[in-house]
Amino acid sequence: MSVAVLMGSDSDFETVQEAVKALREFDVPCEVHVMSAHRTPDRVVAYVKEAEARGVRVFIAAAGGAAHLAGAVAAQTVRPVIGIPIESALNGLDSLLSTVQMPAGIPVATVAIGKGGARNAGLLAVEILAVADAKLSDRLKAFRADLAESVRKRDEALQKRL
Ligand code: RP5
């Protein structure tokens, strides 16, 4: 498994599945689990150590509210950790700050709140893996070219409506 996708609760999955979809678009193997920095702290420590030993290269961790899962994962590994702040009672701002404000020395690469951020978390994991994988890098370049083309087409369509 190249990427581990973790979330604090199954209630986060509707958002987190955007990261999983992005990984699958690039045929990157991933495993997906629910575990919580607060509700199952021992499981988080044991899982991250075991997953790193098994060859997981990148961790994605999503949580909402007092969103400490990504930080708790980062504390246990030197693999890259990407944090997804989940929408919450405070519109996700609480989750964003809880995820992003890590102490110097233990980084978490934090993406935007919600589904767009989750998609970028998956894509960022692909980009990290692509550093040592030329074929994956080529696929990312093709993906960017398709993205640019779709914007060009949308502009073309807009011009017809004006
Ligand atoms: C966080 O609390 C989870 O990541 C989730 O975003 C939030 C609510 O969890 P549930 O009460 O829905 O299980 O730890």
Side-chain angles (χ1 to χ4, degrees):
M1 286 295 168
S2 292
V3 179
V5 181
L6 312 176
M7 67 206 88
S9 169
D10 57 346
S11 64
D12 300 328
F13 186 64
E14 191 187 337
T15 299
V16 174
Q17 66 183 345
E18 298 301 323
V20 176
K21 280 186 210 165
L23 292 166
R24 289 190 174 149
E25 278 172 38
F26 286 89
D27 302 310
V28 169
C30 66
E31 55 192 47
V32 184
H33 294 288
V34 175
M35 62 189 71
S36 164
H38 307 117
R39 291 167 174 161
T40 63
D42 296 345
R43 159 93 168 127
V44 173
V45 173
Y47 170 81
V48 173
K49 288 185 181 306
E50 170 268 320
E52 183 174 327
R54 228 170 355 93
V56 165
R57 294 182 187 167
V58 181
F59 291 87
I60 295 174
H68 298 139
L69 182 59
V73 170
Q76 302 300 329
T77 182
V78 294
R79 301 284 189 223
V81 178
I82 302 168
I84 305 172
I86 297 291
E87 305 92 332
S88 64
L90 302 180
N91 294 326
L93 190 57
D94 46 350
S95 316
L96 174 63
L97 296 178
S98 303
T99 304
V100 79
Q101 291 287 22
M102 289 296 293
I106 312 292
V108 168
T110 305
V111 295
I113 300 162
K115 288 186 176 179
R119 178 158 177 77
N120 275 347
L123 293 173
L124 182 56
V126 175
E127 290 182 0
I128 291 167
L129 295 171
V131 168
D133 184 331
K135 281 185 185 164
L136 203 51
S137 190
D138 286 346
R139 288 181 68 178
L140 279 164
K141 286 175 190 161
F143 164 77
R144 290 283 183 100
D146 288 348
L147 204 57
E149 177 60 12
S150 82
V151 173
R152 195 195 61 73
K153 282 183 180 157
R154 277 184 276 172
D155 179 55
E156 199 176 87
L158 179 67
Q159 299 313 310
K160 288 177 185 155
R161 289 169 52 197
L162 296 174

